């Protein structure tokens, strides 16, 4: 079946602009995750959705970052007033039920803020 | 919150030798420990995981061991091959107060190079 998909695959934006990143999880997966991976770095956990709710938003780097999930499926990560330090690959993953099982990652969105 | 430390950050081995990567964690409530492999330019993929009710799990050339008392778990790759070259990440979930598991912390990654 189809895996996790993300769009756009690449995004170049100017500093100060808003961007919206989209994630389509595997059908039927109730858990969804967002991560940030800077060049040559590890995976920075941003947020976890169980259904449509995110119990803990403390992983979001600043109040310029927000995420939502509707219908228990698609999720969007929005970055307002982008800064150069926001440049990174944003990875989305999903799992069937929750955190204690395999996460299936999407291909990522490569964001470049000029 | 959970703190996951992974080492070494880089590891070079000769083809056919074994490789061992170790992670330590801080949250004693953590009970699920996956390992992900990320090849250059690709997405991370699970290669093996272990739950706290067992001490070791094997899958062909790959094994993971867990020491809950010492709060560390290790990835073992035997008879390494060039296609094992990648970055390997460990991870552990965090239990937040009474809210359940709400966060996953990944190690910084280990870049493994297998030299033919």
């Amino acid at each position: 079946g189809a895996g996790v998909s993300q769009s756009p695959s690449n995004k170049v934006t100017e500093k100060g602009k808003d961007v919206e990143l989209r994630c389509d999880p595997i059908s039927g997966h109730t858990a969804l995750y967002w991560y940030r991976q800077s060049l040559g770095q590890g995976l920075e956990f941003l947020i976890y959705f169980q259904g449509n709710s995110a119990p803990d938003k403390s992983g979001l780097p600043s109040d310029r970052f927000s995420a939502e999930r509707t219908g228990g499926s698609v999720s969007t990560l929005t970055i307002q007033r982008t800064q150069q330090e926001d440049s990174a690959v944003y990875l989305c993953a999903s799992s069937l039920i929750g955190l204690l099982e395999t996460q299936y990652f999407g291909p990522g969105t490569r964001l470049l803020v000029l | 919150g959970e703190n996951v430390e992974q080492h070494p950050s880089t590891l070079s081995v000769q083809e056919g030798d074994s490789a061992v990567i170790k992670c330590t964690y801080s949250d004693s409530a953590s009970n699920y420990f996956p390992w992900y492999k990320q090849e250059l330019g690709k997405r991370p993929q699970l290669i093996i995981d272990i739950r706290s009710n067992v001490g070791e799990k094997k899958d062909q050339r790959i094994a993971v061991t867990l020491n809950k008392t010492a709060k560390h778990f290790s990835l073992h790759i035997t008879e390494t091959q060039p296609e094992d070259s990648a970055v390997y990440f460990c991870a552990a979930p965090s239990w937040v107060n009474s809210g359940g598991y709400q966060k996953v912390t990944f190690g910084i990654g280990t870049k493994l190079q297998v030299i033919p």
Side-chain angles (χ1 to χ4, degrees):
Chain A
V4 178
S5 61
Q6 292 184 245
S7 62
S9 55
N10 290 280
K11 177 72 176 179
V12 181
T13 190
E14 294 179 348
K15 176 181 173 181
K17 299 284 189 182
D18 297 351
V19 296
E20 189 173 276
L21 313 180
R22 176 187 168 107
C23 173
D24 281 271
I26 293 173
S27 178
H29 280 198
T30 61
L32 185 146
Y33 317 81
W34 283 99
Y35 297 91
R36 180 168 70 175
Q37 187 171 36
S38 301
L39 187 62
Q41 300 299 310
L43 293 163
E44 177 187 3
F45 175 88
L46 299 180
I47 196 167
Y48 154 58
F49 284 92
Q50 181 56 257
N52 290 333
S53 68
D56 181 12
K57 299 182 179 180
S58 64
L60 295 174
S62 74
D63 58 8
R64 296 185 295 105
F65 288 71
S66 62
E68 65 175 16
R69 189 181 186 194
T70 56
S73 180
V74 172
S75 175
T76 55
L77 177 69
T78 302
I79 309 173
Q80 295 179 310
R81 305 181 302 282
T82 52
Q83 303 295 311
Q84 289 183 331
E85 59 263 30
D86 298 334
S87 298
V89 175
Y90 289 83
L91 289 162
C92 174
S94 70
S95 63
L96 185 59
I97 299 174
L99 281 167
L100 307 184
E101 56 184 357
T102 305
Q103 293 185 33
Y104 297 88
F105 283 82
T109 293
R110 188 176 299 275
L111 175 66
L112 178 61
V113 182
L114 301 176
Chain B
E2 181 75 277
N3 182 37
V4 176
E5 295 187 358
Q6 180 174 348
H7 57 92
S9 56
T10 60
L11 179 60
S12 291
V13 299
Q14 292 290 329
E15 181 177 357
D17 288 350
S18 295
V20 181
I21 304 169
K22 183 175 177 179
C23 283
T24 60
Y25 62 97
S26 59
D27 189 344
S28 58
S30 294
N31 63 359
Y32 174 68
F33 307 95
W35 284 92
Y36 288 83
K37 175 183 180 182
Q38 186 176 29
E39 297 178 19
L40 188 62
K42 297 189 177 180
R43 70 193 77 181
Q45 290 190 305
L46 182 83
I47 55 171
I48 196 167
D49 57 12
I50 191 168
R51 299 184 188 274
S52 58
N53 57 341
V54 296
E56 184 177 6
K57 183 177 178 180
K58 289 183 179 180
D59 182 3
Q60 300 182 346
R61 298 185 296 107
I62 295 172
V64 54
T65 57
L66 171 65
N67 184 325
K68 283 222 73 177
T69 302
K71 291 192 279 189
H72 66 72
F73 56 109
S74 299
L75 177 70
H76 305 254
I77 306 174
T78 59
E79 301 172 25
T80 53
Q81 301 170 4
E83 53 264 37
D84 294 331
S85 296
V87 179
Y88 292 81
F89 295 97
C90 63
S94 294
W95 186 274
V96 180
N97 298 323
S98 60
Y101 290 103
Q102 297 175 2
K103 181 178 180 178
V104 180
T105 302
F106 278 75
I108 61 168
T110 296
K111 184 176 182 179
L112 173 65
Q113 181 184 20
V114 179
I115 304 167

